[in-house]
Amino acid sequence: THGQRTVVLVDEYDKPILDNLTNPDAARAIRDGLRSLYSVIKDSDAHIRFAFLTGVSKFSKVSLFSGLNNLRDITVSREYSALCGYTEIDLDQVFAPELAGLDRDQIRAWYNGYNWTGETVYNPFDLLLLFQERLFRPWWFETATPTFLVDLLTERHTFLPRLERLLTTEQLLSTFDVDQIATEALLFQTGYLTIDALIPVGPLVQYRLRYPNLEVRTSLNGALLERLTARRSATVEHHARLHALLLANDFPGLKDLVGAFFASIPADWYRRNPIAQYEGYYASVFYAYFAALGLDLIPEDTSHLGRLDLTLRFNQQVYLFEFKVVELSPNGRALQQIKDRRYADKYRALG
């Protein structure tokens, strides 16, 4: 209506920058252009009733909104945690007719779990396709495999098991710019990690992050595994055999399979990396094989006597894994450490 203040809605405000992150010069130029564009909102403040901007990432006010200093960031506001997803109540009330024939626990495991310090929500895109196709698949992940993210995690030699329970600060979580992208911020702001818990540390707050659900955990680790081993066909074959061998409790077969998928690692990796990095690399590959199958894993499993590298719970059994590089630690030391520190004790009551 003429003479009334207007409402400004901007969706994906950051997309031109994100599309050019692999070309920093172009990304910086686009960022500067957008800064000029968004400064118009500030200049027109008297004529704007409400402005709302959404996007994947949170660029600092200095880099993108230097002129727009009256924004309220609601990314981790408890009251808005469920703003952009479907809640359990939505499923019960709105989508009740669609639930027939689908396992509710399976729906929750696959697509629920996104949290911004308040109510946990489902991925809407996944649910709508699930209700239409009646199949559990990584619908959201398949729309755009995060090649840039996989490349960056690989280049930084990211220790994959730690992504399950990453600790970070509020400041680091909100640091995102063309020239400075923390791994934690990138994973969180693109939806591959979400908030598990807030941990007070004196006057400050830390965030513990986790994968939101089975879809993200299996799909991202599958993509990373292919990059780490560079053998897509071998990876697919090993996956099928791994699950079958676990079901059959075929321990000699498992031993042979582990040897086979480590043997499939490209030889040039050895030439490009110091031996001190072997343990983290092999542990990441080993973990990714199991995580990509959606198995119940506890990385860096803690007890009162220490921290075990990896625990797997499957088929009424518990498997404990400790990794050592034999050139740096005597042969047999890994198994001895499992015994000496009695890592199995906490699971014996399970039978």
Side-chain angles (χ1 to χ4, degrees):
T1 305
H2 178 71
Q4 298 294 311
R5 290 194 300 164
T6 191
V7 169
V8 177
L9 303 177
V10 181
D11 189 24
E12 295 195 55
Y13 79 89
D14 51 355
K15 191 175 190 302
I17 305 174
L18 296 180
D19 287 346
N20 289 277
L21 281 179
T22 53
N23 185 348
D25 291 337
R28 277 189 289 269
I30 293 169
R31 178 196 62 192
D32 295 341
L34 287 176
R35 180 193 297 148
S36 300
L37 175 66
Y38 294 141
S39 67
V40 175
I41 300 175
K42 173 66 175 178
D43 296 340
S44 307
D45 188 52
H47 307 290
I48 295 175
R49 180 180 179 183
F50 177 75
F52 192 70
L53 291 77
T54 65
V56 169
S57 57
K58 178 186 172 184
F59 284 89
S60 68
K61 291 182 181 180
V62 174
S63 69
L64 193 53
F65 300 119
S66 57
L68 194 57
N69 57 5
N70 58 341
L71 291 174
R72 178 191 173 191
D73 180 10
I74 62 170
T75 303
V76 291
S77 295
R78 178 181 294 271
E79 61 184 306
Y80 296 111
S81 185
L83 186 66
C84 296
Y86 294 152
T87 65
E88 294 285 1
I89 294 176
D90 291 332
L91 255 67
D92 290 332
Q93 295 182 355
V94 179
F95 297 107
E98 309 291 342
L99 296 176
L102 295 172
D103 186 320
R104 182 65 176 272
D105 290 336
Q106 196 174 6
I107 299 175
R108 187 177 295 110
W110 266 83
Y111 304 126
N112 194 20
Y114 293 93
N115 189 284
W116 291 271
T117 74
E119 187 174 4
T120 300
V121 294
Y122 290 84
N123 184 321
F125 184 85
D126 280 317
L127 283 188
L128 295 177
L129 277 169
L130 170 68
F131 295 150
Q132 183 176 32
E133 302 292 341
R134 319 303 288 182
L135 291 172
F136 288 93
R137 288 186 58 179
W139 300 110
W140 172 69
F141 192 91
E142 289 177 351
T143 60
T145 301
T147 304
F148 168 72
L149 179 61
V150 170
D151 288 344
L152 197 67
L153 292 174
T154 305
E155 289 168 9
R156 293 181 178 181
H157 300 287
T158 305
F159 186 54
L160 302 188
R162 197 158 291 155
L163 297 183
E164 291 264 6
R165 48 181 67 200
L166 202 60
L167 273 177
T168 186
T169 63
E170 187 172 12
Q171 180 181 8
L172 194 59
L173 205 60
S174 61
T175 300
F176 194 103
D177 208 350
V178 175
D179 302 305
Q180 183 183 10
I181 307 175
T183 301
E184 299 92 324
L186 184 64
L187 287 162
F188 170 69
Q189 295 186 31
T190 51
Y192 295 99
L193 291 181
T194 194
I195 294 174
D196 184 46
L198 275 70
I199 304 172
V201 182
L204 305 176
V205 172
Q206 283 189 340
Y207 292 96
R208 185 169 66 234
L209 306 180
R210 59 167 170 78
Y211 291 118
N213 50 41
L214 198 59
E215 176 193 22
V216 176
R217 188 171 181 248
T218 57
S219 300
L220 182 59
N221 277 287
L224 287 164
L225 184 61
E226 289 179 13
R227 185 62 51 84
L228 287 170
T229 60
R231 287 282 300 276
R232 183 183 181 93
S233 58
T235 300
V236 172
E237 179 187 346
H238 292 155
H239 263 160
R241 289 187 59 204
L242 176 60
H243 196 265
L245 291 168
L246 285 170
L247 278 174
N249 286 323
D250 184 346
F251 295 104
L254 283 168
K255 179 176 180 293
D256 292 340
L257 182 65
V258 169
F261 67 62
F262 280 143
S264 71
I265 294 168
D268 70 328
W269 190 91
Y270 301 99
R271 293 191 295 269
R272 291 185 290 106
N273 293 276
I275 196 169
Q277 293 180 3
Y278 280 16
E279 183 178 315
Y281 176 80
Y282 279 111
S284 289
V285 170
F286 194 87
Y287 160 83
Y289 264 103
F290 288 92
L293 277 176
L295 299 178
D296 184 5
L297 297 171
I298 306 174
E300 299 185 323
D301 192 5
T302 56
S303 73
H304 68 287
L305 289 172
R307 187 170 63 187
L308 178 70
D309 284 334
L310 186 67
T311 297
L312 165 66
R313 293 183 290 194
F314 180 79
N315 199 22
Q316 301 299 308
Q317 294 192 134
V318 178
Y319 302 80
L320 308 179
F321 299 99
E322 182 70 24
F323 300 99
K324 299 290 182 191
V325 178
V326 292
E327 288 87 350
L328 302 177
S329 185
N331 201 1
R333 186 70 191 93
L335 184 59
Q336 194 59 47
Q337 181 173 316
I338 289 177
K339 294 177 179 178
D340 291 346
R341 298 189 181 180
R342 297 162 53 193
Y343 288 138
D345 286 3
K346 63 190 285 188
Y347 295 104
R348 294 192 190 282
L350 299 177

